[in-house]
Amino acid sequence: MSAPAVASSVHTLWTTAAVEPLEKIPAPHIEYTQLAPVLIVVGAAVLSVLVEAFVPRRGRYTAQVFLSVLALAAAFAAVVGLAAGGYGSTKAHIAAMGAIAVDGPALFLQGTILLASIVAVFTFAERRLDPADHGHRVDSFAAEAAAVPGSDHEKAAVRAGFTTTEVFPFALFAVAGMLVFPAANDLLTLFIALEVFSLPLYLLCALARRKRLMSQEAAVKYFLLGAFSSAFLLFGIALLYGYAGSVSYAVIADVVDGTVASVNPALAGTMGNDALLLIGFAMVLMGLLFKVGAVPFHMWTPDVYQGAPTPVTGFMAAATKVAAFGALLRLLYVVLPGLTWDWRPVMWGVAILTMLGGAIVAITQTDIKRLLAYSSIAHAGFLLAGVIAATPSGISSVLFYLGAYSFVTIGAFAVVTLVRDAGGEATHLSKWAGLGRRSPLVAAVFAVFLLAFAGIPLTSGFSGKFAVFKAAAEGGAGALVVVGVLSSAIAAFFYIRVIVLMFFSEPKADGPTVAVPSAFTTVAITAGVAVTLALGLAPQYFLDLANQASVFVR
Amino acid sequence: MENLIALLVGAPLLGAAVLLCGGRRLDRTGHWIGTLLAAVSFAIGLALFADMLGKGAEERALYQRLFTWIPVEGFQADIAFQLDQLSMTFVLLISGVGTLIHVYSIGYMEHDERRRRFFGYLNLFVAAMLLLVLADNYLLLYFGWEGVGLASYLLIGFWQHKPSAATAAKKAFLVNRVGDIGLSIAIMIMFTTFGTFAFGPVLEASGQASQGTLTAIGLMLLLAACGKSAQVPLQSWLGDAMEGPTPVSALIHAATMVTAGVYLIVRSADIFNAAPDAQLVVTIVGAVTLLFGAIVGCAKDDIKKALAGSTMSQIGYMILAAGLGPIGYVFAIMHLVTHGFFKAGLFLGAGSVMHGMNDEVDMRKYGGLRTYMPVTFVTFGLGYLAIIGFPGLSGFFSKDKIIEAAFAKGGAEGWILGAVTLLGAAITAYYMTRVMLMTFFGEKRWQPDADGNPPHPHESPRSMVIPMVLLAVGSVAGGAVFEFAGFVEWLEPVTGYEHGHPPIGAAAVTACTVAVMVIGVGLAYLQYGRRPVPAVAPRGSLLTRAARRDLLQDDFNHAVFVTGGTHLTRSLVYVDHSLVDGVVNGTAASVGGLSGRLRKLQNGYARSYAVSMFGGTAVLIAATLLMRAV
């Protein structure tokens, strides 16, 4: 090859680059109204950071609570508006250049996440439970997160009455990520959403006011393991890209179906290689199963649930689960319906392990927060049974279950924050003995939540479990339902045991006291009980709603 | 007119509600309210009866549908009433005798501090019994059936402070459950066979069902009837039920509730007509009970228990007649009504005697009371003449017809049944004469009661005497009225009727009936009229001793059911403890152990968790690939 030829080709390269006009890169088309829920929350989160920076310390708490609740409520209104405008059904489509789906499941789950978040923010804002510390009303969060536990610096911060109002922007960012997660319509958006909601959660976990070392340990564990699982997810995304030549759900689905043969000539060597598809799928799946807390990716759950500040635990247990199951449903139903015969047996195994593992290990727990953590693992298993149904009723049953479960969970953890002794929350089960004698109302409310967890009729837990198992049985997973019912029986044991402990044991002399909460926690718990009973007594309206919302857009 | 039917049930039901919920402030007026509402029911019954008489035989039935009770797809149960001639007969008997007994109870229960409650229960009973006979479907009938069972239970155990009363109530309840299960099974078979419970469709379609099904339904209905009507083998509760206050014995355990079994069989006539095997069993049960009750009645010294044996025996007659088919249905009902009069009268008389004798029930401690209680003596005596079938009195007509019908059954069966009914008539005459003689004639054998108070027999207050007189009038005239006013024609459209021809001629049968009656009376007179009655019962023959123990019914039940049941329970408990609990506890223990071991995996080290995730992912990938490979 001659030198001028090289030069000319280089020149051509240059000129091409220089001359090729910018207008060939199209401006992205963003449907702002349809993304309004996410945008409102993100905007509020940014604003919230500014509040943190510029509003004087005295006014921050009020401003943050007000801003957060307002933003979440506005976002919920936007979701309702979109659903009323038909975006959940007839006008469902893919927005933001193929990145975000606006459809029934997405709107339903976003609505659920927002409602749950409002309730969770109420529990974040509770400042009556801890006895006034040096004359200051304090919440469940560390006085100054950066201070070394036990140091003089920390003591000074406590004396000064500092509080970590940063929890509100963190929560808002997390909610924003969670809103995108079940709506993500390509793998990159999925990953980004995952990180956007995970990182604030890691931080939130580290912010407990009491037992700070435990809280920080939990955060570090969650962060390490979360990063580990993200790496798997990302690697899986890369493999899937190698297989399909695109990260778009629709394109991957088409390649899996065989309707599109070739997308990207540069990837001709790997495209359509089933090994890439299956391995990539398994890794992405693992990333999502980690978030929902399925066995064997569940081990972070008990430690993190126990260590995190209890309001954060409730928020995490409810909202993360909703978001992650939404993403899982979309992945399995939109991207990989052509692979149903490949993923179903694998998911069977995971679901069985999760149901049994969660229920069995919960039996020997002695800490109420760990107990609820294992309970959430078992519930993840029940939800997986609904996912496996691979039918529209499977989708709607999972949607319903998520809505029901999230309110029970937040309510239950809110009750946990009330039972306190000198060291803060009294989470050891032995301290709950005889609670029903001393605080019958609180114990009764907690009993309602436990019965709902156990799936006793007239509570939302029964309606949800029934819907999920029915869908699974109709979807041909009868054996799974048998395992599910057996696990429920095992699980009932430890739920009922707590009830027995509360009502039929003698109270301990130095037992904990039940703090009288402010309106925030009262509203949160009341909302939990109300939803639990409403969905238990008259589930039909919400089942219909979930049914209407059960079609994914492709 | 049909809109009044609900009021028949409604009035006493309202009474029960008011009296039972009204509390103490009704203590002074409660018995009047209860009596008034029972009387209202009777008045409505009379009005409906007058209306019915004015219509042609085929248009007499009235129907009233109140509302749908259980509106389920394919399972429709209505609260609906049917008032035909059969129901009408019962309505008049129940509300009429019921009202009289309410009046009687005003005096009888005067000193009982729970009188208001007593009247509430009585009203409840009347309402339930009317519901039973007015229901237009088997399910609602079942409702009434259970209702009278409840009222019976509450009233037998009314003096619950006495352990014997509490036990008797429990016994009645338990034995009745056995029968009730029969009724519920019968209704279930009906529903699965015919798809409905309503009398009309079920009975019309009964010809189309298979013989086996009909026999099964018939036998189950018979089981129900045995429980409620104290027929062998479910007869054991009736004697103990006499622990209840005497008005209760008169109303529930003589005149009305215990005849519900007869009503059930006659109401289900079409089913039995099509199932001859079931009919045969019905006649056998009737015949056995007829003798059983009569024999027990001969041996009892307790006046109420003697009468209870008699009730059992007389209902045996009715059941037997109902088992004979169309030649017997009408007479079963006729005997039921006449029996309602004279047996209620006899019980009220017994109550009156007890009232004057410090609540003594042992006839060996009576004697010579006729001069002290003249009205009671006369009314009781008329009831006595009626029950033994003295010519011209009510029992004579009805019982004679049953005996005729039994002979008319034909063949060896007819002869056997006829002989049994004749024998029963003789024994009836014997034991009733014995009761009469021991109570009102002979020496005074009075003894002071437990507190040492000697009895001062006296005539009862007017509220008790008037009902006795009215019932005595019924006992005397009822049979003749039915015989000559056309009771057969009255009931025929509902139950059907065939005239039976006994092989030896009706006049001969009547002659035999009168003859055996005279023999029975004579024997009793020789034994109890000519000789002084010992104040302490003699040892007696083996049969006498067995009869005193109710022919060993309780011993039999104890040996077979109680002991057997206890052994069965014990062995089940053993299996439960060793096997079932073993498995359950073993499972629980192993799950717990597994939990403890799995828990150790959760060691708190992030590195271990990461390994678990890594391994899990590897397995996930391997499994996915493996699934594709296979």
Side-chain angles (χ1 to χ4, degrees), chain A residues 389-414:
Chain A
T391 56
S393 71
I395 300 175
S396 66
S397 71
V398 171
L399 295 183
F400 179 85
Y401 198 117
L402 286 169
Y405 175 76
S406 52
F407 282 90
V408 182
T409 306
I410 296 184
F413 279 108

Side-chain angles (χ1 to χ4, degrees), chain A residues 217 221 225 228-229 232 274 278-279 281-283 286 290 296-297 299 302-303 339 342 345-346 350 360-361 363-366 370 374 490, chain B residues 588 591-592 594-596 598-599 601-617 619-621 623-625 627-628:
Chain A
E217 181 190 331
K221 279 183 190 164
L225 297 171
F228 193 47
S229 85
F232 276 101
D274 275 355
L278 295 173
I279 298 173
F281 155 71
M283 287 185 162
M286 177 267 173
F290 173 82
F297 315 108
M299 301 188 92
D303 293 13
L339 277 188
D342 292 297
V346 179
V350 174
I360 290 176
V361 182
I363 288 178
T364 42
Q365 298 305 315
T366 52
R370 285 185 86 84
Y374 281 103
I490 298 174
Chain B
V591 169
L594 188 63
S595 174
L598 287 178
R599 198 184 161 191
L601 292 177
Q602 189 80 22
N603 57 13
Y605 293 118
R607 54 177 188 264
S608 312
Y609 298 176
V611 168
S612 144
M613 286 165 61
F614 187 83
T617 314
V619 172
L620 210 61
I621 291 171
T624 313
L625 291 173
M627 281 306 138
R628 176 54 68 91

Side-chain angles (χ1 to χ4, degrees), chain A residues 273-332:
Chain A
N273 183 335
D274 275 355
L276 287 184
L277 169 68
L278 295 173
I279 298 173
F281 155 71
M283 287 185 162
V284 172
L285 188 64
M286 177 267 173
L288 296 178
L289 290 176
F290 173 82
K291 281 294 165 197
V292 305
V295 176
F297 315 108
H298 68 289
M299 301 188 92
W300 60 277
T301 322
D303 293 13
V304 174
Y305 276 28
Q306 188 186 12
T310 308
V312 174
T313 312
F315 173 58
M316 222 165 33
T320 313
K321 197 150 275 181
V322 178
F325 265 103
L328 186 62
L329 278 176
R330 192 176 293 278
L331 181 77
L332 294 177

